[in-house]
Amino acid sequence: MPSMSRRTLLRSLAVGGAAVSAPGLLTACSSGSGDGGVSNAGKKLAPWPSYKPATGPKPDLAPTAAGVQAGYTSYPSDLVKSVSRTPGDGSTVRVMTVSFGTPPKPASANRFWAAVERALGVKIEYTIISQADYQKKMATVMAGDADALPDIINMFAGFTLPREAQFVQRRAEDLTPYLSGDAITDYPNLANIPTHAWRDMGRIGGRIHGVPLERPLPGSTLWINQDMFADSGMKAGWSAEDFTAVARRGTRGKTYMLGAANGSLFGNGFHSAAHNAPQRWAVTDDGTFLTAAADERYKASIAFQAQLRKNGSYHPDATSISQIDLTTLYYNGTVGSMQDGFGAYLPKYRESRGKMTPAPALPYGVGGEPGGIVAARRSFGYTVLKKADKERVQLLLRILDYLAAPFGSEEWELVHYGVEGVHFTRGKDGSPEPTRLGEVENNTNLPLKYLAEGPQVLFVPGMPDAVRALHTWQRKVVPHAIRDASYGLQSVTNNSQGATLKTFLDDTVTGIIAGRLPLSEWDAAVKKWRSRGGDRMADEYAKDYAANT
């Protein structure tokens, strides 16, 4: 989101009185945690790693500086080699990541696992945590013995872990000497990670403690069944009123145009952005931080969704169904849409082939203004390393460097598809096509991609028209992306209380849209949120923002 003037943003505030941040506007109340060391304010900031783009196949559809991704309508015919030597020394490396797949077969019976171990030159002991168990498991790990930590840990951005920054600062290796500035050139694939990913990962106490997992600019996206929406009157340049009419027209019997999963706030990301509301935090030109919760456009998006729910357009299980089960309903036509990350486009096109045509929805407009989209955090979490001697840290970074190989390289193909003739064969255009073994032994069930990954590109094997459609969509919506201004910044209060405070507001949003609470409850909820820590977060983010600019 572009930086706005203070006057423009203050005009949109309707809840709780004055703006919620600029240093000096808020109470001087401290969180009392004594953990100010994670803040970047008053610290000497380590330079970001120098960006050195990798050489590789030229894209068919060009990227833009604004954030449109490079697109490949066919698979590169000549793969490059991005790593010159085997990274490992035969030792055992213990790793831990989040997972969105099913548990993999054990290493002794998993040929994909074995192939990656051979390529890396290490034995991998892998602890895989399902998304549902991530917070609980990480709390145990963070409270445990430092010596028992895995060598490589994925810090998933999907949750705010209590005192996460303090844990990383205290227990993880400070990677500044290895990655800051030109030091990163020892790891060419890590140097290929764009600066925007490092910035959105952020520093802790002025230092670099992790390696980011780069992600495209578009974030939470409304994925629609294109035929269902077109048949119900969807049109270019539609308004909020048009969206309402389409949703009502297409909902009939046991078919619902709008699907939502438990915890998604009825897909509020898409709707709040379409209303041009800030996404969590906005910042004015003078560095004042303003919460989306106190913005009248955010409140209007909640009211809009409550009306959609009241008129029956949402699936009745929108507050209880899991994202996995919702995806099944989307593929079989029970629901005409669902909110998911933009990066989910690959399984969306692959799994729906022959059943329906998925598409990312264009935002509707409100009050004659074009709608916005959610700008994702450009780092889908980050990877930290257990404290170790220099040689061990360098070995672990070489492993991450291999896993971060760019699209169009031999290493990328191995990590994403496995061994040719075993896990995949070639399609007519040379694209990897998973075998039956490759359907169960892969980078989803053994999620190496959450340890390190190169910059993502637009590519759907064997579906060039899908790539063109996605690229065209990005060119239309990227200029209207609304970014959370707190990305990459530190707030002690958010580190300690952010998860609890977020749950409080999220439950209120869900209750209002579901019809359990009146809209009038929102103002009181925001006032309570601010008094319990929201105002302190705004002040802390403002100070950290000033230190980083």
Side-chain angles (χ1 to χ4, degrees):
M1 179 181 180
S3 182
M4 295 185 179
S5 71
R6 180 184 177 88
R7 180 176 298 173
T8 299
L9 272 174
L10 293 184
R11 232 185 351 244
S12 71
L13 292 176
V15 178
V20 289
S21 168
L25 288 181
L26 301 175
T27 173
C29 177
S30 166
S31 67
S33 66
D35 288 321
V38 301
S39 172
N40 295 293
K43 309 293 192 333
K44 181 179 180 180
L45 303 182
W48 295 119
S50 300
Y51 175 49
K52 306 290 185 182
T55 57
K58 183 180 178 180
D60 302 297
L61 303 170
T64 70
V68 176
Q69 290 176 280
Y72 291 83
T73 57
S74 61
Y75 193 66
S77 56
D78 296 316
L79 302 181
V80 301
K81 191 169 181 61
S82 69
V83 176
S84 60
R85 67 186 181 98
T86 302
D89 59 3
S91 62
T92 296
V93 175
R94 298 169 59 235
V95 305
M96 184 172 72
T97 67
V98 70
S99 174
F100 299 89
T102 57
K105 294 189 295 185
S108 59
N110 194 315
R111 297 175 70 179
F112 176 65
W113 196 325
V116 172
E117 287 184 330
R118 284 195 300 272
L120 295 177
V122 294
K123 288 291 183 182
I124 302 173
E125 290 185 5
Y126 214 132
T127 299
I128 297 171
I129 314 171
S130 69
Q131 180 189 15
D133 296 331
Y134 181 80
Q135 284 180 295
K136 182 178 180 180
K137 177 65 175 178
M138 281 301 302
T140 301
V141 170
M142 291 165 66
D145 185 356
D147 292 336
L149 288 176
D151 297 293
I152 305 176
I153 306 174
N154 160 244
M155 307 300 291
F156 173 45
F159 297 106
T160 300
L161 298 172
R163 297 173 60 80
E164 176 181 317
Q166 289 84 353
F167 163 77
V168 170
Q169 186 181 60
R170 187 174 66 252
R171 297 285 189 87
E173 184 71 35
D174 180 354
L175 299 178
T176 305
Y178 304 92
L179 302 178
S180 181
D182 288 340
I184 200 171
T185 55
D186 288 341
Y187 311 97
N189 289 335
L190 298 184
N192 182 45
I193 298 173
T195 303
H196 61 242
W198 298 95
R199 288 185 181 277
D200 275 10
M201 175 187 75
R203 304 179 184 92
I204 298 176
R207 310 291 285 177
I208 297 170
H209 282 83
V211 174
L213 300 170
E214 193 269 353
R215 287 297 183 268
L217 180 63
S220 294
T221 301
L222 186 70
W223 286 95
I224 62 174
N225 181 321
Q226 188 163 272
D227 294 334
M228 287 177 65
F229 270 73
D231 291 345
S232 298
M234 179 181 66
K235 59 184 180 181
W238 58 352
S239 66
E241 293 74 21
D242 295 330
F243 184 92
T244 299
V246 168
R248 294 189 68 176
R249 192 176 298 123
T251 298
R252 58 175 86 77
K254 293 186 177 181
T255 299
Y256 302 87
M257 289 295 276
L258 306 179
N262 176 35
S264 74
L265 285 62
F266 288 81
N268 179 257
F270 171 79
H271 294 286
S272 61
H275 280 72
N276 285 304
Q279 295 302 297
R280 192 163 171 263
W281 292 101
V283 62
T284 64
D285 290 339
D286 65 359
T288 303
F289 266 63
L290 305 171
T291 173
D295 192 292
E296 62 184 14
R297 293 166 296 186
Y298 189 80
K299 185 177 178 181
S301 74
I302 299 172
F304 179 74
Q305 290 177 267
Q307 188 59 45
L308 290 171
R309 196 277 315 163
K310 188 175 181 179
N311 70 29
S313 298
Y314 277 104
H315 190 280
D317 295 334
T319 60
S320 60
I321 195 169
S322 70
Q323 184 78 353
I324 293 174
D325 290 339
L326 178 64
T327 302
T328 299
L329 297 183
Y330 175 68
Y331 289 149
N332 67 25
T334 300
V335 299
S337 65
M338 64 177 290
Q339 184 172 280
D340 206 345
F342 175 78
Y345 74 83
L346 190 57
K348 288 285 187 294
Y349 281 97
R350 185 175 59 228
E351 300 299 329
S352 64
R353 199 168 190 173
K355 304 172 188 175
M356 46 86 80
T357 302
L362 290 169
Y364 54 79
V366 178
E369 295 292 327
I373 66 161
V374 177
R377 185 171 187 164
R378 305 301 299 275
S379 171
F380 186 71
Y382 56 101
T383 297
V384 299
L385 305 182
K386 178 181 178 178
K387 288 182 180 293
D389 60 47
K390 181 178 179 179
E391 289 72 22
R392 182 66 172 177
V393 171
Q394 290 172 327
L395 179 148
L396 298 176
L397 286 173
R398 289 197 300 271
I399 289 172
L400 296 184
D401 185 67
Y402 187 104
L403 297 177
F407 178 79
S409 68
E410 296 175 5
E411 296 82 8
W412 184 94
E413 182 175 270
L414 172 66
V415 171
H416 286 78
Y417 284 98
V419 179
E420 183 174 4
V422 177
H423 298 103
F424 71 90
T425 57
R426 302 280 181 191
K428 292 181 179 179
D429 66 348
S431 297
E433 294 184 350
T435 61
R436 291 184 64 181
L437 184 62
E439 294 288 350
V440 294
E441 293 186 7
N442 53 43
N443 202 359
T444 297
N445 298 339
L446 187 71
L448 300 162
K449 58 188 173 183
Y450 298 136
L451 293 174
E453 191 169 31
Q456 296 197 340
V457 301
L458 290 173
F459 174 66
V460 184
M463 301 181 70
D465 288 344
V467 175
R468 295 187 187 98
L470 291 169
H471 194 266
T472 298
W473 178 84
Q474 284 197 0
R475 290 186 67 87
K476 291 179 180 178
V477 302
V478 159
H480 304 287
I482 303 173
R483 184 178 185 273
D484 179 349
S486 73
Y487 287 155
L489 302 180
Q490 293 297 332
S491 159
V492 172
T493 302
N494 184 62
N495 287 335
S496 61
Q497 299 172 241
T500 300
L501 289 171
K502 181 178 183 298
T503 297
F504 169 68
L505 276 189
D506 287 356
D507 288 347
T508 306
V509 173
T510 300
I512 293 171
I513 299 173
R516 297 192 296 266
L517 296 172
L519 183 64
S520 59
E521 286 288 318
W522 183 245
D523 292 7
V526 174
K527 184 177 181 180
K528 185 179 292 186
W529 175 86
R530 290 178 60 181
S531 67
R532 290 181 175 179
D535 281 355
R536 289 198 303 275
M537 281 194 278
D539 189 38
E540 290 159 3
Y541 279 133
K543 291 176 181 176
D544 213 68
Y545 176 79
N548 277 274
T549 54

